[in-house]
Amino acid sequence: SPQAQDNFVAVLDARLRVFEQRYELPSASLADALASGQVRDTADVSEWLFWAHLRSDLAREARP
């Protein structure tokens, strides 16, 4: 349902904010930070990257 998806997106956004605060980096900059070596590819960062990609995919699907 649309409400369930909205709730999931809200939870996902909150989860991303935790990572962004922890690493002092916006999720949108994560891939570049990994590529440049600014951030190491740890299990924590891999999880963040997974959630960031999922959020991006959901945003793309929501566009008309």
Side-chain angles (χ1 to χ4, degrees), residues 3 8-10 15 17 19 25 30-31 44 46 48-49 61-62:
Q3 184 177 0
F8 179 69
V9 168
R15 183 171 292 191
R17 278 192 301 277
F19 284 109
L25 184 74
L30 179 56
D44 197 45
S46 290
W48 180 16
L49 190 60
E61 288 176 10

Side-chain angles (χ1 to χ4, degrees), residues 3-14:
Q3 184 177 0
Q5 185 168 353
D6 289 346
N7 290 342
F8 179 69
V9 168
V11 169
L12 189 51
D13 286 344

Side-chain angles (χ1 to χ4, degrees), residues 18-44:
V18 169
F19 284 109
E20 290 170 345
Q21 291 171 353
R22 182 180 304 152
Y23 290 93
E24 299 179 353
L25 184 74
S27 293
S29 301
L30 179 56
D32 289 337
L34 275 165
S36 71
Q38 179 185 355
V39 174
R40 277 189 357 191
D41 189 9
T42 64
D44 197 45

